[in-house]
Amino acid sequence: MAGTHHSATGADARVHDLVGVGFGPSNLGLAIALRERRADGRSRIGGVFLERQERFGWHRGMLLDDATMQISFLKDLVTPRNPASDFTFLAYLRQVGRLHDFINHKTLFPLRTEFHDYLSWCAERVGEQVRYGREVVALRPVRTGGRITRVDVVSRDADGRETVERARNVVLAPGLRPSLPEGVRVSERIWHSEYLLHRLAVLPEAPTRGFVVVGAGQSAAEVVDHLHRRFPDVPVHAVFSRYGYSPSDDTPFANRIFDPEAVDAFYDSPPEFKDELMGYHRNTNYSVVDPDLITDLYRRVYAERANGTHRLRMHNMTRVVDLAETDAGVDVTVEHRPTGKQSVLRADHVVHATGYRPVDVRPLLGELAGHCVFDDRGRPVLQRDYRVVTDDEVTCGLYLQGGTEHTHGISSSLLSNVAVRAAEILDSVEARHEAPVPSA
């Protein structure tokens, strides 16, 4: 069926009001909101979600045992939208018999493993809306009277079989992709932190030369911490261009940049001020580390210097200039930037904790991309309700969750506004559902 565009027929009963592409936390929050609105009779909108993974999973490779979330449990998938929901993190804790234990813990920040369990608990409860093992490979416009009124969402299973879901609205939540420095390729010895635990689980042999960790943010510091504790007989080298790890700004006034109201302020700001605002508050999220973890790592470095072991080694103001894989491991050539002096670190494995990048949705949009508006940097232009701006030929809805920092601010790729954003998108879908389709 490749290359064919369906014409609209009278069988509109088979058309979904909404098809979600991807099923991470953003579209999971949307699925919950959809279910709750239908359950209380506020909406008749229905939908289905397509996910390429065989089951729900969110950064499984970084589910370190004692790592905590960097966000309050109150910013779960529903509480900011509906505190009375039975999908809250507190409802989950009560279900699993840990509510009072958590209260006694006196913290706002759950373990990352238990928050992942919460997300999985939510995903299981809305499982009837999700079709796992379906990778979306194309979006094909469907025309009625010369206008694009529907979209055929083409997905493929592991055996290559294609399925088409026709939709009035499509919500793209493609997530983020691991980012590596230019020229670096993943191998058996060179990884991205996204796959840390998966790679460590299948090590062919115990490391003897140690690890090099590249990066200066929270993930990098967590990887350094984990490897240093897990492998007590080998060195761990932390390589970063900064003078030291920078602390994250978790103070109350700065944290308001993640509030729903901040999205309105950001969206309405001129482009030059958007860039300034992102610069002012990058230290709330980007390339920064929890202060307690910084303190703990420094304590260990100091203790090792005092004891003459020096196993945890910080290479600040330093960058990697070459990676050479050998039979024994990886030779990492690093350059001390103030002096230009180069040296070689010999390691078993190199872990790049070098962040993530938004997925470019244009290849997936296919022919539809020609009807969408992009800015001079190739980024989609969005309306306040997260609908992609299109020409007048398109009357169906194309919505985007994630990759919208340039229009909606710093919280776009984070959990902070998942609940509120889900409500805003559904409000838009419902309003447009009631509106008549313009005639050709």
Side-chain angles (χ1 to χ4, degrees), residues 261-275:
E261 294 80 6
V263 177
D264 290 319
F266 190 92
Y267 185 84
D268 293 331
S269 296
E272 61 274 12
F273 185 63
K274 282 184 169 74
D275 292 339

Side-chain angles (χ1 to χ4, degrees), residues 340-388:
K341 180 181 178 181
Q342 294 188 355
S343 57
V344 177
L345 309 177
R346 291 183 168 83
D348 295 290
H349 303 281
V350 179
V351 183
H352 284 87
T354 45
Y356 298 82
R357 55 180 170 79
V359 174
D360 184 356
V361 297
R362 285 175 294 183
L364 181 60
L365 288 171
E367 181 184 331
L368 286 166
H371 299 276
C372 298
V373 180
F374 296 87
D375 67 14
D376 56 4
R377 301 186 198 177
R379 302 172 302 188
V381 177
L382 300 164
Q383 299 179 13
R384 175 58 184 84
D385 60 3
Y386 299 92
R387 188 183 177 200
V388 178

